[in-house]
Amino acid sequence: MDFLRKFETSIQAIGAGALKAPQVIYVKDVNKTLFSMYGIPNGSFVAVQEIDGQLTLEPINALVFTALDAATISLTNYGGNTPNMLYSRDGITWTLWDYSAISIATGESLFMKGTNPLGFNSSNTVYSKFNMTGSVAVSGNIMALITGGATSSLVIPNNHCFYSLFNGCTSLVSINKNMLPATTLKERCYGIMFKGCASLTTAPELPATTLSNYCYSGMFEKCPALTTAPELPATTLANYCYSGM
């Protein structure tokens, strides 16, 4: 049945992958999340809450880590970088993160957001990067690490913003195509972002049309497992914008 699906739990819905529209979804458990509902872009999540006997559905604007096998997520800071970070297991209750390892069971998701209006990283010596174990798929919206998830943005705020963010994450196996929505970039903002992600099979779309020097430099260096490549729509380039990409 392509247009009517029933899930006893939200975990079943998450495991169903991309759903065809229109969808009618019945969910038995609450205070959980659903994946890719009708009207929500594929790769997005929706929080399901019961309030006064009524189910409410709210899109979750966050960066999402889903464990394909049991996994851990942590953050390493360099040069005194201390980004504001919150995490949630249900998209409803959020906890300030101290960057230590968080375990995720197979099939579960971890949501991340932060309020960092000046940028997540600030240079090639003052930056933070994720670490992973297990097998992980990443989706959602990376700009939630800047805006706190309250709003969306299509403008990278500073140079080196997401520099080296997933560098060396060999447990990262897939990225949702809509994860990097920014259309205006800054210098080295995605520099070596996925360098050494040797298990990564899918690349995100790169819709930016306003580029900056070295913005994509080394972005997918040493990623031999990639089977997809993004389109590059910019018609005006910047110095070394695709260098070693």
Side-chain angles (χ1 to χ4, degrees):
M1 299 175 65
D2 288 338
F3 301 112
L4 178 63
R5 303 283 293 279
K6 177 180 178 181
F7 302 107
E8 290 295 328
T9 69
S10 57
I11 291 296
Q12 292 178 6
I14 291 171
L19 306 179
K20 297 180 180 180
Q23 290 285 330
V24 177
I25 296 179
Y26 162 82
V27 60
K28 187 175 181 179
D29 62 342
V30 295
N31 297 329
K32 297 291 185 180
T33 55
L34 291 175
F35 177 77
S36 297
M37 289 188 64
Y38 176 51
I40 306 298
N42 287 345
S44 298
F45 286 75
V46 175
V48 182
Q49 297 186 74
E50 183 176 8
I51 301 176
D52 297 329
Q54 300 293 318
L55 287 183
T56 65
L57 308 177
E58 293 292 337
I60 304 169
N61 186 20
L63 186 65
V64 186
F65 299 82
T66 300
L68 306 180
D69 292 315
T72 65
I73 307 295
S74 63
L75 194 77
T76 300
N77 299 313
Y78 298 90
N81 202 45
T82 55
N84 172 260
M85 294 286 285
L86 301 171
Y87 73 90
S88 175
R89 294 185 182 275
D90 58 13
I92 300 167
T93 302
W94 295 87
T95 302
L96 184 66
W97 192 26
D98 64 1
Y99 316 125
S100 61
I102 302 174
S103 298
I104 322 172
T106 302
E108 290 187 338
S109 294
L110 183 70
F111 302 90
M112 292 278 184
K113 65 181 182 180
T115 303
N116 299 285
L118 300 181
F120 194 80
N121 295 325
S122 59
S123 75
N124 62 351
T125 58
V126 181
Y127 68 97
S128 302
K129 64 178 292 293
F130 287 108
N131 309 293
M132 303 177 186
T133 65
S135 183
V136 179
V138 177
S139 59
N141 185 351
I142 201 166
M143 299 303 288
L145 300 182
I146 302 300
T147 67
T151 60
S152 189
S153 175
L154 298 180
V155 178
I156 298 290
N158 69 310
N159 296 345
H160 292 88
C161 185
F162 296 120
Y163 175 84
S164 195
L165 190 62
F166 296 97
N167 186 356
C169 289
T170 56
S171 294
L172 178 59
V173 299
S174 69
I175 302 171
N176 181 264
K177 67 179 183 178
N178 300 316
M179 195 185 86
L180 306 179
T183 55
T184 300
L185 306 187
K186 295 292 177 64
E187 187 171 319
R188 298 185 190 272
C189 61
Y190 293 146
I192 64 172
M193 188 175 185
F194 301 104
K195 180 179 178 180
C197 293
S199 301
L200 183 62
T201 59
T202 59
E205 294 297 326
L206 301 176
T209 53
T210 302
L211 307 188
S212 192
N213 296 344
Y214 295 95
C215 56
Y216 294 122
S217 179
M219 188 175 185
F220 298 105
E221 184 180 348
K222 297 183 180 178
C223 292
L226 281 176
T227 58
T228 69
E231 294 183 5
L232 302 174
T235 56
T236 300
L237 305 186
N239 293 333
Y240 304 101
C241 57
Y242 298 140
S243 173
M245 186 176 180

